[in-house]
Amino acid sequence: MTDLARTENLQETPTPRIGVLALQGDFDAHRRRLEELGAEVVLVKKPEQLDEIDGLIIPGGESSTFLKLLGEAGFAKLKEFVRVKPTFGTCAGAILLAKEVQNPTQSGLGAIDIGIRRNAYGRQIDSSIREGLFRGIPTEMVFIRAPKISRVGPQVEVLATEGHDPVAVRQGKVMAATFHPELSGESSVHQAFLDLVSNGKHE
Ligand code: GLN
């Protein structure tokens, strides 16, 4: 391969630029994990930063607080973004992306056709580390005041399960997980999202 061809090759697969919504919650652990995997990370604090990125992670935290901090304009801009660009929501982020939110009912972005029940494990098992299956491979999963996916629409692919529960799902360019992949020792879930971002670019 000539040097020129090599350069052109590199230009075809530029480093993906991934935003992490950094209004609240554990956004920094996602930043570290994405950087380890070679992505360029933008901590998104203002709606206009959504225009600069190829994909977005909405981290865990408190979904009702996210809604307050986003405000109407931020919510509308985010809703537009998730329709066109790859987005991955973990825990509170998954709640924000869902079509229906229960316990209590709250607005969702409707980006993925699932029903989700907040704080579904009860207070006794507030947080836990359990082993689930991500694409059939045993994977450590950290659950913190986690929701449960109560309904999976016909267009939704189940990527991961824990016991009988779906815990990571995908519909088109949107991924959601009820656990915290940024807090476990494995990178497979973040890698799957980066693959989704690069595949979307080649469409
Ligand atoms: N319990 C939180 C909520 O309902 C989610 C918890 C988390 O993101 N770790 O939004």
Side-chain angles (χ1 to χ4, degrees):
M1 199 190 279
T2 64
D3 277 353
L4 182 62
R6 208 167 277 128
T7 316
E8 279 173 352
N9 228 18
L10 283 175
Q11 281 170 350
E12 270 173 28
T13 49
T15 309
R17 209 176 222 230
I18 309 295
V20 181
L21 193 65
L23 297 177
Q24 192 247 349
D26 68 337
F27 52 85
D28 215 49
H30 281 287
R31 178 185 61 77
R32 280 197 297 274
R33 183 55 55 89
L34 289 167
E35 285 177 354
E36 279 161 21
L37 294 172
E40 184 188 333
V41 178
V42 176
L43 293 180
V44 175
K45 294 180 195 267
K46 299 217 166 77
E48 56 270 24
Q49 288 174 289
L50 292 173
D51 299 331
E52 303 165 12
I53 54 176
D54 303 314
L56 176 71
I57 290 189
I58 307 178
E62 205 54 48
S63 52
S64 52
T65 308
F66 273 117
L67 287 173
K68 282 191 199 120
L69 294 173
L70 280 166
E72 264 181 46
F75 186 80
K77 177 96 182 165
L78 192 56
K79 197 165 184 174
E80 188 56 38
F81 179 92
V82 301
R83 277 185 45 233
V84 288
K85 292 265 177 80
T87 306
F88 177 28
T90 60
C91 206
I95 295 169
L96 283 182
L97 289 171
K99 195 163 182 184
E100 298 136 23
V101 181
Q102 299 129 12
N103 193 37
T105 307
Q106 108 188 339
S107 327
L109 294 161
I112 187 161
D113 185 19
I114 56 170
I116 198 161
R117 186 174 172 77
R118 295 177 66 197
N119 302 307
Y121 291 85
R123 292 200 132 227
Q124 289 85 338
I125 40 169
D126 212 61
S127 303
S128 60
I129 300 177
R130 297 197 287 278
E131 190 176 91
L133 291 174
F134 177 68
R135 291 191 162 142
I137 297 168
T139 303
E140 179 186 85
M141 296 176 179
V142 179
F143 294 88
I144 304 172
R145 288 175 292 109
K148 267 195 190 187
I149 296 170
S150 51
R151 184 185 66 80
V152 174
Q155 308 295 320
V156 176
E157 178 192 2
V158 174
L159 301 175
T161 51
E162 191 278 318
H164 294 296
D165 298 323
V167 291
V169 288
R170 181 189 70 88
Q171 181 175 13
K173 299 182 178 72
V174 179
M175 254 173 83
T178 59
F179 58 97
H180 287 259
E182 76 286 5
L183 298 180
S184 69
E186 300 161 47
S187 304
S188 50
V189 181
H190 283 82
Q191 187 58 58
F193 179 60
L194 290 179
D195 293 345
L196 195 65
V197 173
S198 348
N199 292 342
K201 278 182 154 183
H202 299 156
E203 264 168 21

Coordinates of all heavy atoms in Angstrom, one line a residue, residues 26 59-66 90-93 95 103 106 117-119 143-147 178 180, ligand 1:
D26 N -22.8 9.6 36.6 CA -21.5 9.1 36.5 C -20.9 9.2 35.1 O -20.5 8.2 34.6 CB -21.4 7.7 37.1 CG -22.1 6.7 36.3 OD1 -23.0 7.1 35.5 OD2 -21.8 5.5 36.4
P59 N -25.7 8.8 30.7 CA -25.3 7.9 31.8 C -26.4 7.7 32.8 O -27.5 8.2 32.7 CB -24.1 8.7 32.4 CG -24.5 10.2 32.1 CD -25.3 10.2 30.8
G60 N -26.0 6.9 33.8 CA -26.8 6.7 35.0 C -26.9 8.0 35.8 O -26.1 8.9 35.6
G61 N -27.8 8.0 36.8 CA -28.0 9.2 37.6 C -29.4 9.1 38.1 O -29.8 8.0 38.5
E62 N -30.1 10.2 38.0 CA -31.5 10.2 38.4 C -32.3 10.8 37.3 O -32.1 11.9 36.9 CB -31.6 11.0 39.7 CG -32.8 10.7 40.6 CD -32.9 9.2 41.0 OE1 -31.9 8.7 41.4 OE2 -34.0 8.6 40.8
S63 N -33.1 9.9 36.7 CA -33.8 10.3 35.4 C -34.7 11.6 35.6 O -34.7 12.4 34.7 CB -34.5 9.2 34.8 OG -35.4 8.6 35.7
S64 N -35.3 11.7 36.8 CA -36.2 12.8 37.0 C -35.4 14.1 37.1 O -35.8 15.2 36.6 CB -37.0 12.6 38.2 OG -36.2 12.3 39.3
T65 N -34.2 14.0 37.6 CA -33.3 15.2 37.7 C -32.8 15.5 36.3 O -32.7 16.7 36.0 CB -32.1 14.8 38.6 OG1 -32.6 14.4 39.9 CG2 -31.2 16.1 38.9
F66 N -32.4 14.5 35.5 CA -32.0 14.8 34.1 C -33.1 15.6 33.4 O -32.8 16.6 32.7 CB -31.8 13.5 33.3 CG -30.5 12.9 33.4 CD1 -30.3 11.7 34.0 CD2 -29.4 13.6 33.0 CE1 -29.0 11.1 34.1 CE2 -28.1 13.1 33.0 CZ -27.9 11.8 33.6
T90 N -27.6 4.3 29.8 CA -27.4 3.3 30.8 C -28.2 3.7 32.0 O -28.2 4.9 32.5 CB -25.9 3.1 31.2 OG1 -25.4 4.4 31.7 CG2 -25.1 2.7 30.0
C91 N -29.0 2.8 32.6 CA -29.8 3.0 33.8 C -30.7 4.2 33.7 O -31.7 4.1 32.9 CB -28.8 3.0 35.0 SG -29.7 2.5 36.5
A92 N -30.4 5.3 34.3 CA -31.3 6.5 34.2 C -31.4 6.9 32.7 O -32.4 7.3 32.2 CB -30.8 7.6 35.0
G93 N -30.2 6.7 32.0 CA -30.2 7.0 30.5 C -31.2 6.1 29.7 O -31.9 6.5 28.8
I95 N -33.9 4.8 31.0 CA -35.2 5.3 31.4 C -35.6 6.5 30.5 O -36.7 6.6 29.9 CB -35.3 5.7 32.9 CG1 -35.0 4.5 33.7 CG2 -36.6 6.4 33.2 CD1 -34.8 4.8 35.2
N103 N -43.6 3.9 37.5 CA -43.2 3.9 38.9 C -42.3 5.1 39.2 O -41.1 4.9 39.7 CB -42.5 2.6 39.2 CG -42.3 2.4 40.7 OD1 -43.1 2.8 41.5 ND2 -41.2 1.8 41.1
Q106 N -43.3 9.0 33.8 CA -42.6 10.2 33.6 C -42.3 10.3 32.1 O -42.4 9.2 31.4 CB -41.4 10.3 34.5 CG -40.1 10.1 33.9 CD -39.0 10.0 35.0 OE1 -39.1 10.4 36.2 NE2 -37.9 9.4 34.6
R117 N -39.6 0.0 34.2 CA -40.1 0.3 35.6 C -38.9 0.8 36.4 O -38.0 0.0 36.6 CB -40.7 -1.0 36.1 CG -41.4 -0.8 37.4 CD -42.2 -2.1 37.8 NE -42.6 -1.9 39.2 CZ -43.7 -1.2 39.5 NH1 -44.4 -0.6 38.5 NH2 -44.1 -1.0 40.7
R118 N -39.0 2.0 36.9 CA -37.9 2.6 37.7 C -37.8 1.8 39.1 O -38.8 1.4 39.6 CB -38.2 4.0 38.0 CG -38.1 4.9 36.7 CD -38.4 6.3 37.0 NE -37.4 6.9 37.8 CZ -37.6 8.1 38.5 NH1 -38.7 8.7 38.5 NH2 -36.6 8.6 39.2
N119 N -36.6 1.8 39.6 CA -36.3 1.3 41.0 C -37.0 0.0 41.2 O -37.7 -0.2 42.2 CB -36.7 2.3 42.0 CG -36.0 3.6 41.8 OD1 -34.8 3.7 41.8 ND2 -36.7 4.7 41.7
F143 N -25.7 -3.3 39.0 CA -27.0 -2.7 39.1 C -27.1 -1.7 40.2 O -26.7 -2.1 41.4 CB -28.1 -3.8 39.2 CG -28.2 -4.7 38.1 CD1 -27.4 -5.9 38.0 CD2 -29.1 -4.5 37.0 CE1 -27.5 -6.7 36.9 CE2 -29.2 -5.3 35.9 CZ -28.4 -6.5 35.9
I144 N -27.5 -0.5 40.0 CA -27.6 0.5 41.1 C -29.0 1.1 41.0 O -29.3 1.8 40.0 CB -26.5 1.6 41.0 CG1 -25.1 1.0 41.0 CG2 -26.7 2.6 42.1 CD1 -24.0 2.0 40.7
R145 N -29.8 0.9 42.0 CA -31.2 1.4 42.0 C -31.8 1.2 40.5 O -32.3 2.2 39.9 CB -31.3 2.8 42.4 CG -31.1 3.0 44.0 CD -31.0 4.4 44.4 NE -29.8 5.1 43.9 CZ -29.8 6.0 43.0 NH1 -30.9 6.4 42.5 NH2 -28.7 6.6 42.6
A146 N -31.6 0.0 40.1 CA -31.9 -0.2 38.6 C -33.3 -0.3 38.3 O -34.1 -0.8 39.1 CB -31.1 -1.5 38.2
P147 N -33.7 0.0 37.0 CA -35.0 -0.2 36.5 C -35.1 -1.6 35.9 O -34.0 -2.3 35.8 CB -35.1 0.8 35.4 CG -33.7 1.0 34.9 CD -32.8 0.7 36.1
T178 N -29.9 -1.6 31.5 CA -30.4 -1.2 32.9 C -29.2 -1.3 33.9 O -29.4 -0.9 35.0 CB -31.5 -2.1 33.3 OG1 -31.0 -3.5 33.3 CG2 -32.7 -2.0 32.4
H180 N -24.7 -0.9 34.7 CA -23.7 0.2 34.5 C -22.4 -0.5 33.9 O -21.5 -0.8 34.6 CB -23.3 0.8 35.8 CG -24.4 1.7 36.3 ND1 -24.3 3.1 36.2 CD2 -25.5 1.5 37.0 CE1 -25.3 3.7 36.8 NE2 -26.1 2.7 37.2
Ligands
GLN1 N1 -33.2 5.0 40.0 C1 -32.7 5.9 39.0 C2 -33.9 6.5 38.2 O1 -35.0 6.1 38.4 C3 -31.7 5.2 38.1 C4 -30.5 4.8 38.8 C5 -29.2 4.8 38.1 O2 -29.1 5.4 37.0 N2 -28.3 4.2 38.7 O3 -33.7 7.3 37.4

